[in-house]
Amino acid sequence: MAPQRIVIENCAVATVDARDTEYASGHLVIAGDRIESVGAGRAPGDLDGVVRRIDATGHLLTPGLVNTHHHFYQWITRGLATDHNLFDWLVALYPTWARIDEDMVHAAAQGSLAMMARGGVTLAMDHHYVYPRGCGDLTGAIVRAARETGVRFTLARGSMDRGESDGGLPPDFAVESIDGALAATEAAIDEHHDDSFGAMTQVAVAPCSPFSVTTELLRQGAELARRKGVRLHTHGSETVEEEKFCHELFGMGPTDYFESTGWLGEDVWMAHCVHMNDSDIAAFARTGTGVAHCPSSNARLAAGIARVPDMLAAGIPVGLGVDGTASNESGELHTELRNALLVNRLGPHRERALTARQALRLGTYGGARVLGRAGQTGSLEPGKLADLVLWRLDTLAHASIADPVAALVLGAAAPVTASFVGGRQIVADGRLLHADEDAIARSTREQAQRLARIAGRA
Ligand SMILES: [Zn+2]
């Protein structure tokens, strides 16, 4: 039996394939969960099994956006410590974060996922590293929220084991034991990781950062990931304070420290990488280590400007991340396309730093590459998963912008008319189809207030 087909036509198409192929007016055919064809003009009129034909006049069709760094639980601690740098901000928030439980994390994950999905994200990730004693099944709650929203998902099972008494930044009551963290990470992989083509859930091993985990947890975490065949994720080279911390404790900078613990490689991606010298960039390029660039968070916490143009020139895989919403507040990825371009043009490469098309590539194919899914998603090509977004560009905000890709990247946040994950529509006219946004908004507010009460802030 022929697969069910959905035809999208009469729209601009940015495929983000290797040659950046675009069509001013083109079409795409979805067959089952895959892209069957994409090209100029209208789709053939004699296709079998067409269940839906979408006239997408006035729209731009792109691959779905990919978010490569986030902390969902922070959705319920937004708007706090808004004028702090990273270390001061962490110290201000750890005591609150140490009181999270399963209900709070489920609501926060729903809020984070809903905000991303309605803004065109089709592949999301969550780096969760706070597991207070007696908090319940946080991993299960996060994976459940992703299923409810309908996005493809990577859970980076995080951990912290270097409390204040070991010279770390988090208070002792917020950290796990090394054996407990490794056992729970392995259990999360066994229960949730799927390595098949088109997997909806994958798991990565993700100790939090050099200043909150021990060298031994980094080493053993890398061994665990390689034994299980999953990816590795952590924070790296985010601030000058972290660089100073590494020199004082380990006698070397963060990149050399990561290399000494087995944390550079094609299966690793790191958030931020703001403070990288030429030899750090060469080490990432040599080993194929990926980067999650988080321009809004880096600006909000005054961390600095990552050297994205130099990373791209060196061949480093780079994707975009919103980072946790306690250091971003918005939690939307499509605005990060614009911020990546703007922030990098404030750096030394000025107007040549990034083009609008490079920004779109970072947010799609680049993200799929750092999550290890570039063969399956991230561009509009026959055989890939039908993860794609129709952006409406014929309203007041965008109708007079000459170039549709520039309209998407530089213009106001464009409305999402439709978003598909594996051929299944998850957003229609800017609203989620499989989750109730108003109910999620209410429960995130309730859980935020409950956490503030329990943590003694209200
Ligand atoms: Zn982060």
Side-chain angles (χ1 to χ4, degrees), residues 334-335 338 393 397-398 401 403-414:
H334 54 329
T335 49
R338 180 175 197 240
L393 298 180
H398 303 92
I401 302 179
D403 169 7
V405 174
L408 176 68
V409 173
L410 294 171

Side-chain angles (χ1 to χ4, degrees), residues 170-230:
D172 287 353
F173 59 79
V175 306
E176 295 176 281
S177 71
I178 180 166
D179 291 342
L182 288 166
T185 303
E186 182 158 6
I189 296 166
D190 290 341
E191 189 173 352
H192 299 292
H193 183 71
D194 175 2
D195 60 9
S196 64
F197 190 100
M200 290 302 289
T201 310
Q202 296 202 324
V203 178
V205 176
C208 186
S209 64
F211 50 83
S212 61
V213 309
T214 59
T215 306
E216 206 41 41
L217 179 54
L218 279 175
R219 277 215 183 90
Q220 292 191 35
E223 284 167 18
L224 170 66
R226 283 166 185 143
R227 178 161 59 79
K228 304 297 271 187
V230 302

Side-chain angles (χ1 to χ4, degrees), residues 422-438:
R424 178 182 185 237
Q425 190 170 358
I426 64 164
V427 175
D429 295 326
R431 302 283 294 182
L432 300 174
L433 282 172
H434 310 293
D436 181 342
E437 281 178 36
D438 298 331

Side-chain angles (χ1 to χ4, degrees), residues 69-71 74 127 129 233 235 238 271-272 294 297 323-324 327:
H69 186 66
H70 205 321
H71 311 289
Q74 293 181 10
H127 184 191
Y129 55 86
H233 179 59
H235 293 94
E238 183 173 358
H272 306 305
C294 305
S297 173
D323 203 1
S327 66

Side-chain angles (χ1 to χ4, degrees), residues 47-59:
L47 290 169
D48 292 334
V50 175
V51 292
R52 210 172 145 200
R53 195 171 273 273
I54 300 171
D55 177 0
T57 302
H59 287 76

Side-chain angles (χ1 to χ4, degrees), residues 207-211 213-215 218-219 222 226 232-238 242 246 250 252-265 268-271 273 276 280 283-284 289:
C208 186
S209 64
F211 50 83
V213 309
T214 59
T215 306
L218 279 175
R219 277 215 183 90
R226 283 166 185 143
L232 299 86
H233 179 59
T234 190
H235 293 94
S237 305
E238 183 173 358
E242 175 192 329
C246 287
F250 316 123
M252 59 185 105
T255 300
D256 291 335
Y257 177 58
F258 284 128
E259 184 143 44
S260 76
T261 53
W263 272 79
L264 295 186
V268 182
W269 86 104
M270 253 175 245
C273 304
M276 302 264 280
D280 297 334
F284 271 55
T289 307

